[in-house]
Amino acid sequence: MTDRTLLPGGAPLAVRTGGVALACAAALPLTSCATGSPAEVETVAGPASASCGLFFDDFDYGGPTDPALGEQGWNVRSRAGGPGVPGASWDVDNVSFTDEDGDSLLRLSSTTDGTPAGTSQAGLAFGEEKFHEGTYAAKVRFADTPASGQDGDTVLQTFYTITPLAFDNDPAYSELDVEYLPNSGWGAPAEAVYLTSHHTYQREPWEADNTSDVVDRSFEGWRDLVIQVDGGVVRYYVDTRLLAEHSGKYYPSSPMSINFNQWFIDMSGHTGGPSTYVQDVDWVYHQQGESVAPEEVDRRVGEQRDAGVSRVDGVELGGTC
């Protein structure tokens, strides 16, 4: 089903949905929602002071090898393999942390010269699968053009949760994706965001059991991404706008990890020499066992930052608050 409407100013918004009709008629434009600078004094909340079921990280680290990054539970990907171009690498140095106007950011940089050997991708994962029902959120800056080099690559910029697939068609597999394609791919005519909930899949031959809604438009710039997992329904929001709802077998059946990555679908759009694309993340948030409205997420994150909290983890596997 395709539901098309116009944003103010005549910009088209197309939502291709694989299930329910959505009440997201786009009465207002999507806006950039960057927040202010964090407090100067860094605080790392300990177990005793952690709010029950709260996970928050402001990505204030010294680099991909900062011991605090691993102590918090994050893993920088260096393992070869999918997703992405076969033969491409995943390099630790492609994950960095930078300061912008006093605000700490996670930065994923991915480069390609149009060959698998000349392609390096970036990924960061919270390695423990302990996140299930509740609210997931992140402030992500998507980019429509490369930081350097010629444009046109089929690059994918993501925020997602996942349970590893133990075997083909594993019923315990779960995955929830927000995936942005600035240069088409997967049948999208141009820029598009895919909001996808997975039930399971098999590797060979490839066959996926999922449902996906696609919004055909540019999402360049800072975006507040919120996924609510509650009461048998998964809801996807971008900048407080509800864009997708999935339920039934696509509701996650198992605890998941939290991930960010940037990779290339294929080499079909590449021209010229090396091109480097950048995806930035300001913060990530999860509240276990509670469906938190997007506006409330932003307020709660602001409270943590105003208190000088850089990271907190009060999520326990199977815990309830």
Side-chain angles (χ1 to χ4, degrees):
M1 177 176 77
T2 301
D3 176 26
R4 292 186 179 271
T5 184
L6 292 180
L7 296 170
L13 174 71
V15 180
R16 300 200 300 276
T17 141
V20 298
L22 303 176
C24 57
L28 295 172
L30 297 170
T31 58
S32 175
C33 302
T35 59
S37 301
E40 292 182 0
V41 179
E42 175 182 316
T43 302
V44 179
S49 62
S51 299
C52 182
L54 170 65
F55 177 84
F56 168 72
D57 203 311
D58 204 22
F59 292 121
D60 189 5
Y61 297 100
T65 60
D66 186 341
L69 190 66
E71 290 167 2
Q72 177 68 357
W74 293 105
N75 297 321
V76 179
R77 180 164 178 179
S78 59
R79 171 182 54 85
V85 176
S89 63
W90 295 81
D91 295 340
V92 170
D93 290 341
N94 288 351
V95 174
S96 62
F97 300 89
T98 188
D99 182 272
E100 186 174 287
D101 299 326
D103 193 7
S104 56
L105 306 177
L106 162 66
R107 175 158 293 173
L108 305 178
S109 302
S110 301
T111 300
T112 184
D113 64 2
T115 69
T119 299
S120 63
Q121 305 170 130
L124 181 71
F126 191 91
E128 184 179 358
E129 290 90 29
K130 66 175 184 177
F131 305 95
H132 193 197
E133 293 183 308
T135 301
Y136 304 79
K139 183 180 288 295
V140 177
R141 179 159 57 189
F142 295 128
D144 282 353
T145 57
S148 63
Q150 296 192 43
D151 196 10
D153 294 284
T154 52
V155 64
L156 198 69
Q157 301 166 352
T158 77
F159 166 50
Y160 68 101
T161 66
I162 193 169
T163 306
L165 186 79
F167 51 86
D168 280 354
N169 300 313
D170 178 6
Y173 178 78
S174 298
E175 183 178 350
L176 307 175
D177 298 337
V178 180
E179 299 172 305
Y180 183 57
L181 294 85
N183 288 319
S184 72
W186 293 345
E191 304 96 343
V193 66
Y194 278 71
L195 310 162
T196 306
S197 301
H198 299 259
H199 173 52
T200 190
Y201 73 94
Q202 68 179 29
R203 297 182 178 92
E204 294 294 341
W206 173 262
E207 185 176 343
D209 186 356
N210 60 39
T211 186
S212 187
D213 291 59
V214 187
V215 183
D216 294 320
R217 55 149 292 177
S218 172
F219 283 83
E220 184 172 39
W222 284 111
R223 300 296 173 191
D224 284 341
L225 312 178
V226 174
I227 307 172
Q228 296 172 346
V229 180
D230 180 63
V233 181
V234 180
R235 297 179 176 88
Y236 295 85
Y237 296 82
V238 177
D239 294 345
T240 75
R241 180 95 23 87
L242 176 63
L243 296 183
E245 289 185 357
H246 302 150
S247 58
K249 65 180 178 179
Y250 304 111
Y251 191 79
S253 57
S254 302
M256 300 169 287
S257 62
I258 292 176
N259 303 259
F260 300 92
N261 63 21
Q262 183 179 229
W263 49 277
F264 298 93
I265 297 174
D266 55 39
M267 305 280 90
S268 62
H270 188 81
T271 57
S275 296
T276 298
Y277 295 80
V278 171
Q279 172 187 343
D280 288 334
V281 184
D282 192 0
W283 50 258
V284 62
Y285 167 98
H286 175 75
Q287 179 60 58
Q288 188 174 20
E290 182 183 355
S291 186
V292 184
E295 298 87 347
E296 177 65 9
V297 169
D298 192 62
R299 188 191 69 79
R300 294 185 186 184
V301 168
E303 285 184 342
Q304 296 295 320
R305 302 178 88 174
D306 289 345
V309 175
S310 287
R311 62 195 75 102
V312 58
D313 184 1
V315 176
E316 295 182 4
L317 181 63
T320 57
C321 297

